[in-house]
C-alpha cells in the first residue's frame, strides 16, 4: 500500500536539510530563519508583540530570539516615534542578505522538486497539492505563476 504521508515527509525533510545547511552557514537556527523571513517579507518595522502573535510564541521566547538576532547584527531595535513603550525591529543589510540567500535556496528546492516535469505536470502538481491542503482543512492561498524563461 502506498503511503502519501511518508512521501510528504521525505520531501519535506529533503527540502528542510538544504535550508538548515544554509542557515547554519549564517549561524542561524531554523526558528531564527523563520523570524528573519517574516520580518524581511513584511517590509515595515514590527514590534515583538507582532511576532508573538504571528508565530504563537511566548514573550520570553520571542525576546530571546530577537536578542540573539540583534547580537548577530541581523536586526536592530529603534524606539517607536509614537509609542515610546514599543521598540520597532528593523532588518539590517546583513539580515536582508540572509533573507535573499534563504529565498534562493527555497527557489532551488522548488526547481529540483519539479525537475523533469512538463509545464502541464507542474500546473497539475500544484493543483493537486493545493486540493490536498484544502482537504485537510487548511488554506493554501496558492496561485500558480508560470516560470520565466530566458529565450
Amino acid at each position: 500500500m502506498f503511503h502519501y504521508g511518508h512521501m510528504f515527509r521525505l520531501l519535506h525533510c529533503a527540502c528542510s536539510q538544504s535550508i538548515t545547511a544554509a542557515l547554519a552557514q549564517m549561524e542561524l537556527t531554523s526558528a531564527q530563519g523563520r523570524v528573519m523571513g517574516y520580518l524581511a517579507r513584511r517590509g515595515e518595522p514590527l514590534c515583538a508583540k507582532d511576532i508573538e502573535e504571528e508565530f504563537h510564541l511566548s514573550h520570553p521566547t520571542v525576546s530571546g530570539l530577537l536578542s540573539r538576532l540583534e547580537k548577530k547584527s541581523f536586526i536592530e531595535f529603534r524606539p517607536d516615534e509614537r509609542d515610546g513603550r514599543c521598540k520597532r525591529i528593523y532588518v539590517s543589510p546583513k539580515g536582508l542578505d540572509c533573507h535573499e540567500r534563504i529565498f534562493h535556496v527555497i527557489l532551488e528546492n522548488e526547481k529540483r522538486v519539479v525537475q523533469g516535469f512538463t509545464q502541464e505536470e507542474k500546473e497539475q502538481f500544484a493543483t493537486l497539492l493545493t486540493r490536498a491542503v484544502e482537504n485537510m482543512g487548511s488554506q493554501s492561498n496558492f496561485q500558480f505563476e508560470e516560470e520565466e524563461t530566458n529565450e
Side-chain angles (χ1 to χ4, degrees):
M1 180 172 171
F2 188 83
H3 294 281
Y4 299 107
H6 179 69
M7 296 304 287
F8 293 146
R9 179 149 171 66
L10 289 175
L11 184 58
H12 171 75
C13 288
C15 290
S16 290
Q17 284 176 346
S18 60
I19 292 170
T20 300
L23 287 168
Q25 288 177 348
M26 293 178 275
E27 299 180 359
L28 291 174
T29 65
S30 60
Q32 291 169 340
R34 281 191 298 277
V35 169
M36 284 305 304
Y38 178 67
L39 291 169
R41 283 190 312 273
R42 287 298 303 258
E44 62 186 272
L46 301 175
C47 290
K49 188 79 171 157
D50 299 316
I51 294 168
E52 292 169 24
E53 292 171 1
E54 175 67 21
F55 292 96
H56 307 285
L57 296 171
S58 70
H59 180 71
T61 299
V62 171
S63 291
L65 272 168
L66 295 175
S67 175
R68 286 184 288 282
L69 288 171
E70 182 183 34
K71 284 179 185 166
K72 295 176 184 180
S73 301
F74 287 100
I75 62 169
E76 60 183 57
F77 292 102
R78 296 183 206 153
D80 186 291
E81 294 174 5
R82 290 173 281 205
D83 182 356
R85 297 170 297 166
C86 175
K87 289 183 182 177
R88 294 281 173 191
I89 305 162
Y90 289 81
V91 179
S92 70
K94 181 179 178 180
L96 292 174
D97 179 59
C98 160
H99 176 66
E100 201 170 298
R101 289 171 63 184
I102 295 305
F103 186 69
H104 177 74
V105 172
I106 291 168
L107 290 178
E108 286 302 312
N109 281 347
E110 291 180 359
K111 284 181 187 175
R112 287 177 60 200
V113 166
V114 295
Q115 186 176 346
F117 286 26
T118 65
Q119 185 63 29
E120 183 179 332
E121 289 170 330
K122 290 176 188 178
E123 291 174 21
Q124 185 177 29
F125 186 61
T127 299
L128 293 172
L129 283 174
T130 300
R131 279 180 44 201
V133 167
E134 291 169 354
N135 286 346
M136 295 304 294
S138 293
Q139 292 286 40
S140 66
N141 299 325
F142 174 79
Q143 291 183 345
F144 189 82
E145 295 179 22
E146 282 194 42
E147 222 176 279
E148 289 184 28
T149 56
N150 298 328
E151 293 178 28

